[in-house]
Amino acid sequence: MTDEESSPRSAGRRAADSHDLIRVHGARVNNLKDISVVIPKRRLTVFTGVSGSGKSSLVFGTIAAESQRMINETYSAFLQGFMPSLARPDVDVLEGLTTAIIVDQERMGANSRSTVGTATDVNAMLRIVFSRLGQPHVGSPQAFSFNVASISGAGAVTLERGGRTTKERRSFEITGGMCPRCEGMGTVNDIDLSQLYDDSKSLNDGALTIPGYTADGWGVKIYSGSGFVDPDKPIRNYTRKELDDFLYHEPTKVKIGDINMTYEGLVPRVQKSMLSKDREAMQPHIRAFVDRAVTFTTCPECGGTRLNEGARSSKIAGINIAEACAMQISDLASWVRDLDEPSVAPLLVALQDTLDSFVEIGLGYLSLDRPAGTLSGGEAQRTKMIRHLGSSLTDVTYVFDEPTIGLHPHDIESMNRLLLQLRDKGNTVLVVEHKPEMIAIADHVIDLGPGAGTAGGTITFEGSLDALQGSDTLTGHHLHDRVALKSSTRTPNGALGIRGATAHNLRNVDVDIPLGVLVVITGVAGSGKSSLVHHSIPAGENVISIDQGAIRGSRRSNPATYTGMLEPIRKAFAKANGVKPALFSSNSEGACPNCNGAGVIYTDLGVMATVESPCEVCEGKRFQAEVLEYRLGGRDISEVLAMSVTEAEEFFGAGDARTPAAHAILARLADVGLGYISLGQPLTTLSGGERQRLKLATQMAEKGGIYVLDEPTTGLHLADVENLLGLLDRLVDSGKSVIVVEHHQAVMAHADWIIDLGPGAGHDGGLVVFEGSPGDLVAARSTLTGTHLASYIGA
């Protein structure tokens, strides 16, 4: 053999094979401090570090964002005009990128028409199956869609043919599956008119009691200036025609002053603007109004299936499409497997694979008709994974944001297998994660820190898991932390009795939840924990429930505005300087006129990314120059908003700036471990864990005796879990009852009382399989939770 034949090139080693690394050089997104890192391709890399250390900024804000931007640039300028424009991340060099597929924690669209089936395309496949095999045959796939209404029409159409204009009569018919009574929503609503207006007042006197409809606002002006009603007459004195025009008038063009506007009755206007939205997506004050004014009941015509009689009449093997969508997915998979129809064999194979993926990923307990907005963050993330599991693509970068959220230790083992399968197909898998069970399967670990916010943003470790365990990093020190069982548990001072609970999959559950202690509700994903807590514990003045719902806020929202802390701060500034509080709001009179208080100028460049540059007038401070002349305790308002929570707590705690109301809120923020965030930091830059804790700190101000927390460890580093346990202890010791739905074994071990649901998920769950102390649970080892907790504490 010659030397040339034995060379690496001839043995198959080409220049192209050397590109087996993703190189990041000089990344400065958010709090990243000019970091450089090398990530191996076709390996599973886990990014660790405390919440807010910069993990998401590196993985999502830099690597995934640039990959998506570069893919978008391969499309024509015409197509890019319809896509969201993405700015290039603040990084010097990015090499070796591949196509990135992002599977994040964002809740699925809270559109009230969106279900698990529509979000994953399973409904689309199922509709085709029923249109081909269903008996009697009722039409095309859209005849089984609850989003398509049945329409028919006829009329004359004008055609241009051979230079001549002719008229022909045409008719058309669309057969849809939408229930005509509820318009495919599954529920009908009745509006309590007394909640919309005070009939003893006139429009000009402020009769409308709907949020946002102020006497001098356009919402009211369109009615008072329309000419249909007398704005000075009390509503109770309207004639029947006036009242009908006021409440139910069809949309019609009217002129108010010099402006052409569309006038329609108050009831359809409220229905379109408020009731068409998913309740969970509403702002709190809108939700409170809707809860007061509207009663939702299951549609009497379709029984909540959303489908008309025609769609429900067509059946395959005795099952109609509504019944198929209501089945537990694991049962539906078995039903599809039994269908032997060569005419639609390819479709049945694809449908079977997708349904099997649901079961494999631990979501077999869901049903296709489950509204997408009701899925938890973890369920939504795993639902998004479905479409990627059977993919034949290789050399793709999959990016996951805490895929273990909402997963029992038993389910984490299944998730680990799936991630390793994706890697073994030849893909790069990047995972942001805190759980040691998932860090354990990493080929490569990159740790960011050492702290959070401005104290983070640097690479503190990169290497193997074994090397991480021996490293002098916070993650390395805490990787093998184990919370021991308590030597003694607290004694309850009462009990909250739940009797005959049947929400979702609960099977007539009777259970007493002890009060005055720390109670943890456990069980595999889908066993009925959230159903028990959120549907059976009566919400009232004494119960404060903190769920996983996302915090809603624009880039103008920040911790100071979200917590209500800015109000006392503005008043303190106003009092100290003898001026109006509105001057100290960047959304009101004090805003810089050039950037309208945003601090930056946005330049729209069409298909190119919008350019964001600091405002030259206020230099990014967001306020007018004269407002910054006013001081409190030697600081102006922009300097106060730039303070960290810890710094501000000291500033407002004593001296000239002493403001007890602001100080109390700051103390709670520090209590939940958010001492490092700044008061004016946009909410959009906070990580998932930080937003959860911000919500917790805000709700702690409420006067309640029972706190219900849904997975408060979400997004928390191992070191932060200790602080959370201390916070829960302080709440209980102050006389509160704390009920926590949790999978984290450290929280289970720390509990005074555990209620375990199961034994499985969906219709295999819904029962209380254990209630007692953590020590008894470990000793019995009679449930999956008991087995895993025993292993965790080394018993």
Side-chain angles (χ1 to χ4, degrees):
M1 188 185 288
T2 64
D3 289 343
E4 189 177 330
E5 285 173 66
S6 62
S7 70
R9 185 176 290 273
S10 64
R13 183 71 177 169
R14 304 288 178 95
D17 298 330
S18 63
H19 298 286
D20 51 5
L21 297 170
I22 296 174
R23 291 185 176 84
V24 181
H25 187 76
R28 294 174 294 276
V29 173
N30 293 333
N31 67 331
L32 297 180
K33 295 176 180 168
D34 207 24
I35 64 171
S36 300
V37 68
V38 173
I39 302 163
K41 284 188 187 174
R42 294 174 286 282
R43 297 289 182 272
L44 195 155
T45 301
V46 174
F47 294 79
T48 59
V50 296
S51 178
S53 59
K55 306 181 298 298
S56 295
S57 298
L58 174 59
V59 179
F60 291 92
T62 306
I63 298 169
E66 179 64 355
S67 171
Q68 289 209 318
R69 188 186 72 84
M70 295 182 85
I71 289 168
N72 285 4
E73 284 194 350
T74 63
Y75 297 112
S76 67
F78 173 75
L79 282 178
Q80 287 183 55
F82 295 98
M83 296 174 168
S85 58
L86 302 169
R88 187 181 188 279
D90 190 3
V91 58
D92 294 334
V93 180
L94 272 174
E95 290 179 344
L97 292 181
T98 67
T99 303
I101 293 175
I102 299 172
V103 187
D104 59 19
Q105 294 173 33
E106 289 299 316
R107 293 295 185 94
M108 299 186 76
N111 183 327
S112 49
R113 291 187 181 278
S114 181
T115 65
V116 169
T118 60
T120 55
D121 297 336
V122 179
N123 265 31
M125 290 190 273
L126 207 53
R127 289 199 297 267
I128 299 172
V129 171
F130 271 87
S131 72
R132 301 290 186 272
L133 305 180
Q135 291 298 328
H137 177 74
V138 295
S140 67
Q142 64 187 13
F144 296 93
S145 170
F146 54 74
N147 287 324
V148 180
S150 293
I151 307 169
S152 61
V157 294
T158 304
L159 302 172
E160 295 279 348
R161 278 186 185 155
R164 296 178 64 186
T165 302
T166 59
K167 286 191 175 183
E168 289 182 11
R169 183 170 176 77
R170 294 277 178 91
S171 63
F172 72 94
E173 189 169 340
I174 296 172
T175 304
M178 179 187 287
C179 168
R181 172 81 168 85
C182 64
E183 297 184 356
M185 304 295 279
T187 57
V188 288
N189 54 60
D190 292 316
I191 297 180
D192 179 357
L193 297 179
S194 67
Q195 296 293 336
L196 303 186
Y197 56 82
D198 178 350
D199 68 356
S200 66
K201 293 181 179 178
S202 68
L203 288 174
N204 284 343
D205 288 337
L208 296 188
T209 54
I210 305 164
Y213 283 68
T214 53
D216 56 349
W218 277 108
V220 175
K221 277 182 185 173
I222 195 166
Y223 290 100
S224 56
S226 65
F228 289 109
V229 294
D230 181 350
D232 294 314
K233 186 198 289 188
I235 292 175
R236 63 169 57 151
N237 296 338
Y238 282 4
T239 64
R240 183 176 293 181
K241 176 154 190 343
E242 280 179 320
L243 193 60
D244 190 66
D245 285 342
F246 175 54
L247 294 176
Y248 304 109
H249 201 288
E250 292 290 315
T252 183
K253 291 277 188 249
V254 295
K255 195 157 191 171
I256 311 288
D258 296 327
I259 303 171
N260 290 319
M261 301 188 78
T262 300
Y263 175 94
E264 68 178 327
L266 187 63
V267 170
R269 192 181 198 87
V270 168
Q271 283 176 323
K272 285 177 187 172
S273 64
M274 295 181 185
L275 306 188
S276 60
K277 294 177 184 168
D278 185 78
R279 183 182 174 280
E280 299 304 314
M282 295 174 182
Q283 293 174 290
H285 68 291
I286 302 287
R287 189 185 310 160
F289 163 73
V290 169
D291 289 345
R292 270 197 326 270
V294 186
T295 54
F296 292 92
T297 52
T298 301
C299 174
E301 196 161 307
C302 67
T305 62
R306 305 168 178 242
L307 294 161
N308 60 26
E309 192 177 349
R312 301 196 309 274
S313 69
S314 184
K315 297 186 177 184
I316 302 174
I319 298 286
N320 67 30
I321 191 168
E323 290 163 341
C325 290
M327 280 185 191
Q328 187 164 305
I329 288 174
S330 54
D331 296 338
L332 181 61
S334 302
W335 181 76
V336 171
R337 196 174 286 113
D338 293 338
L339 295 179
D340 184 17
E341 291 290 341
S343 62
V344 290
L347 186 60
L348 289 176
V349 169
L351 181 57
Q352 185 67 58
D353 287 345
T354 306
L355 294 173
D356 286 342
S357 294
F358 269 102
V359 177
E360 191 180 356
I361 208 166
L363 293 177
Y365 61 87
L366 295 178
S367 60
L368 296 181
D369 61 3
R370 169 93 173 258
T374 65
L375 296 180
S376 69
E379 286 170 335
Q381 186 173 29
R382 282 177 284 149
T383 301
K384 291 176 200 170
M385 281 179 72
I386 299 290
R387 63 180 67 237
H388 306 306
L389 292 180
S391 172
S392 302
L393 291 172
T394 62
D395 262 330
V396 169
T397 300
Y398 286 95
V399 187
F400 293 94
D401 191 5
E402 286 192 73
T404 59
I405 286 178
L407 288 186
H408 188 272
H410 171 72
D411 300 313
I412 291 176
E413 294 172 7
S414 307
M415 178 62 75
N416 283 351
R417 281 197 300 275
L418 292 169
L419 293 180
L420 292 172
Q421 277 174 27
L422 284 174
R423 178 202 66 185
D424 293 343
K425 279 185 183 178
N427 296 306
T428 305
V429 181
L430 309 181
V431 184
V432 173
E433 191 50 83
H434 294 290
K435 296 269 178 72
E437 298 98 321
M438 185 154 280
I439 299 172
I441 65 164
D443 300 312
H444 189 69
V445 180
I446 295 174
D447 191 54
L448 282 93
T454 54
T458 59
I459 303 290
T460 56
F461 171 85
E462 47 185 319
S464 68
L465 177 67
D466 292 340
L468 174 67
Q469 291 167 348
S471 68
D472 186 25
T473 63
L474 200 59
T475 306
H477 293 321
H478 288 273
L479 199 56
H480 291 296
D481 277 3
R482 294 292 182 267
V483 173
L485 295 179
K486 288 179 177 175
S487 54
S488 62
T489 55
R490 300 179 181 93
T491 305
N493 57 19
L496 182 66
I498 293 174
R499 297 290 175 265
T502 54
H504 298 313
N505 65 329
L506 295 177
R507 293 191 258 169
N508 212 25
V509 169
D510 292 341
V511 66
D512 290 316
I513 300 177
L515 297 178
V517 295
L518 175 59
V519 178
V520 175
I521 316 281
T522 61
V524 295
S527 59
K529 304 179 300 298
S530 295
S531 300
L532 180 70
V533 168
H534 295 304
H535 291 273
S536 304
I537 296 177
E541 292 178 13
N542 202 36
V543 178
I544 294 161
S545 185
I546 303 168
D547 60 15
Q548 288 184 36
I551 284 180
R552 287 175 179 83
S554 67
R555 55 191 169 204
R556 285 179 175 273
S557 303
N558 54 49
T561 57
Y562 181 79
T563 59
M565 182 203 318
L566 199 56
E567 194 64 29
I569 291 175
R570 286 203 301 253
K571 285 179 178 172
F573 264 96
K575 188 176 179 183
N577 294 281
V579 291
K580 289 191 296 185
L583 281 176
F584 302 99
S585 168
S586 60
N587 295 325
S588 186
E589 292 181 28
C592 164
N594 190 49
C595 63
N596 293 323
V600 289
I601 301 292
Y602 299 99
T603 310
D604 184 8
L605 298 177
V607 299
M608 306 298 287
T610 300
V611 174
E612 186 180 304
S613 50
C615 173
E616 293 176 1
V617 176
C618 66
E619 298 175 340
K621 291 182 178 178
R622 304 171 63 179
F623 292 91
Q624 297 175 22
E626 51 267 35
V627 172
L628 300 180
E629 299 291 322
Y630 300 119
R631 296 188 171 263
L632 175 69
R635 304 285 188 100
D636 66 43
I637 185 70
S638 70
E639 290 171 331
V640 166
L641 290 174
M643 287 180 180
S644 69
V645 167
T646 307
E647 195 183 344
E649 187 183 6
E650 189 179 324
F651 178 74
F652 288 110
D656 296 340
R658 185 173 177 274
T659 312
H663 185 263
I665 296 171
L666 289 162
R668 287 196 298 274
L669 287 172
D671 236 7
V672 297
L674 290 178
Y676 59 88
I677 65 171
S678 66
L679 307 193
Q681 186 174 339
L683 287 189
T684 49
T685 65
L686 297 182
S687 69
E690 288 168 334
R691 293 181 201 183
Q692 173 93 338
R693 284 180 285 157
L694 182 63
K695 189 191 286 190
L696 178 60
T698 307
Q699 298 274 31
M700 278 169 58
E702 306 286 333
K703 297 284 185 283
I706 301 173
Y707 280 78
V708 178
L709 310 180
D710 195 352
E711 288 194 72
T713 59
T714 299
L716 287 190
H717 186 267
L718 298 162
D720 294 323
V721 173
E722 280 181 37
N723 299 333
L724 177 74
L725 293 177
L727 174 64
L728 297 179
D729 277 342
R730 288 197 295 279
L731 280 172
V732 175
D733 293 340
S734 68
K736 310 287 186 189
S737 300
V738 179
I739 302 166
V740 182
V741 174
E742 190 54 81
H743 293 289
H744 203 297
Q745 290 159 131
V747 182
M748 294 181 200
H750 198 71
D752 296 308
W753 192 261
I754 286 184
I755 297 172
D756 195 22
L757 277 87
H763 58 45
D764 298 322
L767 295 172
V768 173
V769 292
F770 174 86
E771 43 184 324
S773 70
D776 293 341
L777 177 66
V778 168
R781 282 183 174 80
S782 58
T783 68
L784 280 171
T785 306
T787 307
H788 282 278
L789 187 57
S791 164
Y792 170 82
I793 63 168

